[in-house]
Amino acid sequence: MEMTKVYTGKTKDVYKLTDGNYLLKFKDDVTVDEDGNFDPGANNTGLKIDGVGAAGLRVSKFFFEKLKEKNIKTHYINCDLENATMTVTPAEAFGKGLEVILRYKAVR
């Protein structure tokens, strides 16, 4: 299926698919502090950790599948863990939107 890149983010690239849905490609980029050290709470990328994108996708898949089991509507369609991609429907934030971020500093 053809796709067009529409956005490059810190941890994901977003592609528009010909069917109108979107593909999120989870990257192995991680955030760093001002000195270039790994910092999961920072807002700049500067390091790559192999497999971190796929790990983030596994967590996202877990929660989206739980919501699906409860018949709670989301933009999630499916994911491909091997290629670290998630397919979603077009969605618009309502109100001020909602973002959930969980960060642990397990590494120094």
Side-chain angles (χ1 to χ4, degrees):
M1 178 177 286
E2 288 188 40
M3 57 186 168
T4 305
K5 187 186 270 188
V6 295
Y7 178 77
T8 298
K10 291 182 289 192
T11 60
K12 290 173 223 52
D13 289 332
V14 180
Y15 298 86
K16 185 168 186 176
L17 303 173
T18 55
D19 65 3
N21 292 322
Y22 289 87
L23 182 83
L24 310 179
K25 173 66 175 161
F26 286 61
K27 302 189 288 189
D28 288 338
D29 295 340
V30 296
T31 53
V32 296
D33 64 17
E34 306 81 37
D35 297 321
N37 300 309
F38 173 67
D39 182 352
N43 285 318
N44 297 310
T45 56
L47 295 174
K48 287 190 180 292
I49 298 176
D50 288 339
V52 77
L57 177 57
R58 276 193 302 278
V59 171
S60 294
K61 177 185 179 194
F62 174 83
F63 287 107
F64 277 118
E65 292 291 335
K66 290 292 182 190
L67 293 169
K68 190 175 187 178
E69 287 173 16
K70 302 291 184 188
N71 294 316
I72 297 171
K73 187 176 177 181
T74 68
H75 64 307
Y76 174 79
I77 297 174
N78 61 40
C79 73
D80 178 349
L81 293 174
E82 186 174 315
N83 291 304
T85 60
M86 177 187 290
T87 305
V88 297
T89 61
E92 291 184 26
F94 57 91
K96 293 183 180 181
L98 172 66
E99 180 178 19
V100 178
I101 300 171
L102 174 63
R103 293 183 171 130
Y104 291 106
K105 291 190 178 190
V107 199
R108 335 186 269 156

